[in-house]
């Protein structure tokens, strides 16, 4: 079978097309700037913090689909200069560093799912969502390492459409224990805690497993030591339903028992 060459331009175009269909007419090219945050980035204390931070930080301006900020410590993680991402084609360049299979998953599955949540959630609650996904990223020396990006909406316009997203990128090469791309959606609750509402695992470009919101709720109560009858009482569902959720989670994750399931959830950042 002839292998299709990797085209970051194609995936970049697909992502931009998805966003164009999501945003209202006239949204792009507003040239909105991040004024207040630019003052923060210029502080010497902030620069020192970034130098010692284990993760890179960047801000994507959705009105022009360009990065308004990229922390310089990205060089220590991937080997690229921050100014490379700040070029007009910086977003496309970032996509080009994804492993080809993972770039396809990102553009065909993850971005559409993020947009789906933007559409489903009330405009004043979009900022409570956090999207995390692991992927293979190519360093400047052509070595691929596992990384994780965590995306949150930083600012919206008057209609609730995201203007800026804040992104953290972490190096997972000493943590990642499998070869699966994980995608997790969490929601910030009133007490400030983050509750997982979707956990997906992509084994390849066509195979995906996921835990539902209800399954994740059951998993959280399991991690707190509650029994099946106690979980049924807390969630106002039957014990049989709780048992079915437990069985489904074991099957989906190929875990032998509850302890293995919990360890897997902790490793993947679900718990």
């Amino acid at each position: 079978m002839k292998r299709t060459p990797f085209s970051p331009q194609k995936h970049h175009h697909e992502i931009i097309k998805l966003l164009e269909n999501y945003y209202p007419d006239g949204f792009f090219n507003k040239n909105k700037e991040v004024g207040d945050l630019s003052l923060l980035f210029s502080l010497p204390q902030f620069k020192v913090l970034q130098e010692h931070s284990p993760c890179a930080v960047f801000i994507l301006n959705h009105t022009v689909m360009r990065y308004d900020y990229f922390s310089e410590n990205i060089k220590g993680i991937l080997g690229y200069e921050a100014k490379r991402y700040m070029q007009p084609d910086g977003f496309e360049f970032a996509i080009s560093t994804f492993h080809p299979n993972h770039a396809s998953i990102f553009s065909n599955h993850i971005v559409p799912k993020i947009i789906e949540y933007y559409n489903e959630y009330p405009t004043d609650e979009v900022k409570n969502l956090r999207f995390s996904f692991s992927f293979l990223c190519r360093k400047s020396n052509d070595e691929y390492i596992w990384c994780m990006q965590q995306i949150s909406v930083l600012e919206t316009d008057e209609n609730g459409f995201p203007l800026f997203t804040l992104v953290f990128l972490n190096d997972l090469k000493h943590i990642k224990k499998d070869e699966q791309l994980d995608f997790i959606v969490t929601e910030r609750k009133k007490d400030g805690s983050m509750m997982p509402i979707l956990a997906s695992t992509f084994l390849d470009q066509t195979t995906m497993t996921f835990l539902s919101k209800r399954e994740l709720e059951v998993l959280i109560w399991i991690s707190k030591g509650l029994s099946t009858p106690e979980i049924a009482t807390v969630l106002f569902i039957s014990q049989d339903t709780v048992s079915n959720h437990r069985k489904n989670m074991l099957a989906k994750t190929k875990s032998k028992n509850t302890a293995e399931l919990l360890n897997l959830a902790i490793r993947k950042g679900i718990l």
Side-chain angles (χ1 to χ4, degrees):
M1 181 181 293
K2 186 176 180 181
R3 185 174 181 180
T4 303
F6 174 48
S7 172
Q9 296 84 7
K10 173 178 177 291
H11 294 299
H12 176 259
H13 176 75
E14 290 173 347
I15 292 170
I16 296 300
K17 197 68 179 174
L18 285 167
L19 292 172
E20 286 176 343
N21 291 335
Y22 164 67
Y23 283 107
D25 292 339
F27 179 87
F28 291 100
N29 298 315
K30 290 182 179 179
N31 295 317
K32 185 175 176 61
E33 297 179 355
V34 185
D36 295 336
L37 289 175
S38 64
L39 298 176
L40 169 64
F41 300 149
S42 65
L43 290 175
Q45 297 92 330
F46 183 82
K47 292 183 178 180
V48 171
L49 177 65
Q50 276 302 296
E51 287 176 3
H52 296 278
S53 173
C55 62
V57 181
F58 37 106
I59 291 177
L60 181 64
N61 185 330
H62 286 232
T63 66
V64 289
M65 292 309 295
R66 287 178 56 179
Y67 294 110
D68 278 359
Y69 173 77
F70 223 100
S71 61
E72 307 223 351
N73 63 341
I74 188 65
K75 184 174 177 62
I77 300 174
L78 296 179
Y80 305 109
E81 298 285 350
K83 62 183 179 182
R84 178 61 188 90
Y85 293 90
M86 298 289 289
Q87 299 299 314
D89 66 340
F91 182 65
E92 182 177 331
F93 171 73
I95 299 300
S96 75
T97 64
F98 282 43
H99 186 279
N101 289 349
H102 293 184
S104 178
I105 291 171
F106 181 68
S107 63
N108 294 326
H109 297 284
I110 292 179
V111 172
K113 181 59 71 172
I114 290 175
I115 292 175
E116 182 180 317
Y117 275 95
Y118 285 164
N119 281 324
E120 287 181 358
Y121 269 67
T123 56
D124 58 342
E125 295 181 16
V126 169
K127 290 183 180 179
N128 293 329
L129 296 172
R130 183 170 68 194
F131 306 95
S132 305
F133 63 95
S134 59
F135 66 105
L136 281 169
C137 190
R138 190 186 71 251
K139 298 177 63 174
S140 60
N141 63 0
D142 288 333
E143 173 194 1
Y144 277 101
I145 64 170
W146 279 99
C147 294
M148 172 173 281
Q149 282 196 15
Q150 295 179 312
I151 304 172
S152 301
V153 175
L154 190 62
E155 184 180 341
T156 62
D157 66 7
E158 62 277 6
N159 298 311
F161 289 98
L163 291 171
F164 303 101
T165 47
L166 176 66
V167 186
F168 293 92
L169 183 140
N170 296 273
D171 178 355
L172 297 182
K173 66 175 177 286
H174 298 304
I175 303 173
K176 188 73 169 163
K177 301 299 182 183
D178 56 42
E179 297 299 316
Q180 302 170 352
L181 188 154
D182 300 307
F183 175 53
I184 301 169
V185 184
T186 52
E187 178 184 3
R188 182 183 294 105
K189 298 301 182 181
K190 292 182 180 179
D191 63 0
S193 63
M194 300 300 295
M195 175 75 71
I197 56 177
L198 177 73
S200 304
T201 295
F202 297 85
L203 304 177
D204 53 42
Q205 294 188 60
T206 58
T207 306
M208 177 183 69
T209 61
F210 69 93
L211 301 182
S212 68
K213 184 175 181 179
R214 180 61 89 182
E215 287 170 342
L216 289 167
E217 289 175 338
V218 171
L219 183 60
I220 288 170
W221 287 114
I222 292 174
S223 70
K224 294 180 179 180
L226 271 66
S227 64
T228 293
E230 290 171 330
I231 295 173
T233 300
V234 171
L235 297 180
F236 300 100
I237 56 180
S238 71
Q239 293 185 38
D240 286 342
T241 300
V242 175
S243 296
N244 286 334
H245 285 316
R246 297 181 74 133
K247 291 176 183 177
N248 289 338
M249 286 190 287
L250 291 174
K252 286 180 179 180
T253 61
K254 295 181 172 59
S255 299
K256 297 177 182 177
N257 50 49
T258 300
E260 190 172 305
L261 172 63
L262 290 173
N263 286 332
L264 179 66
I266 291 171
R267 239 184 14 250
K268 291 181 175 293
I270 300 172
L271 294 177

